[in-house]
Amino acid sequence: MKIGELARRSGLSAHTIRYYERIGLLPHADRDRSGRRDYDASILTWIEFLGRLKMTGMPIRDMLRYAALREGGEGTQAQRRALLERHREEVRARLATLSDCLLLLDDKIAGYGANDQG
């Protein structure tokens, strides 16, 4: 698929796709006879995974490390797993903090509700 279709289907801009390719987050695309990028549809799964990593706050340097390990193949599975396990613990810690903040907000909102009724 051409870059425009990949952008539409992935939700990324063509500029972002080219940037991700340039820095190594995305593998370099094959080129058609005209020299235009021609992506395999399987790249959508990888882009979705990168989006999830980004959404969970993984720094780009760690995403790049993971991408490089992924390119390294089967022999890097333990390193990839370790990287994801570390990130999972960071996400869990942030979730716990956010949960505490949510409880505080709920208490504060409940306090306003009590004032409105009396």
Side-chain angles (χ1 to χ4, degrees):
M1 85 184 79
K2 302 300 179 221
I3 197 166
E5 182 180 352
L6 181 58
R8 183 182 56 77
R9 292 179 63 183
S10 69
L12 298 176
S13 68
H15 175 79
T16 299
I17 292 167
R18 286 190 291 272
Y19 171 71
Y20 280 4
E21 190 176 306
R22 187 172 61 251
I23 66 170
L25 274 181
L26 295 179
H28 289 282
D30 292 332
R31 301 286 179 146
D32 66 13
R33 292 182 191 168
S34 305
R36 293 180 296 179
R37 289 172 173 83
D38 192 15
Y39 295 93
D40 186 89
S42 65
I43 197 138
L44 288 166
T45 303
W46 175 240
I47 289 172
E48 181 181 358
F49 182 67
L50 290 173
R52 299 295 174 117
L53 293 178
K54 183 178 178 182
M55 191 181 307
T56 60
M58 180 179 274
I60 198 145
R61 69 179 174 280
D62 290 346
M63 293 169 66
L64 287 166
R65 175 75 179 136
Y66 187 89
L69 289 169
R70 179 177 178 258
E71 286 296 312
E74 296 282 329
T76 66
Q77 287 181 345
Q79 292 168 289
R80 285 184 274 163
R81 179 182 176 148
L83 193 152
L84 292 177
E85 286 173 341
R86 281 191 304 273
H87 183 63
R88 179 179 61 190
E89 291 309 310
E90 292 168 6
V91 170
R92 283 184 174 153
R94 280 198 313 278
L95 283 172
T97 299
L98 286 172
S99 182
D100 290 344
C101 292
L102 185 58
L103 288 173
L104 178 66
L105 288 171
D106 288 343
D107 286 347
K108 190 67 166 176
I109 291 166
Y112 286 123
N115 289 339
D116 289 344
Q117 293 176 2

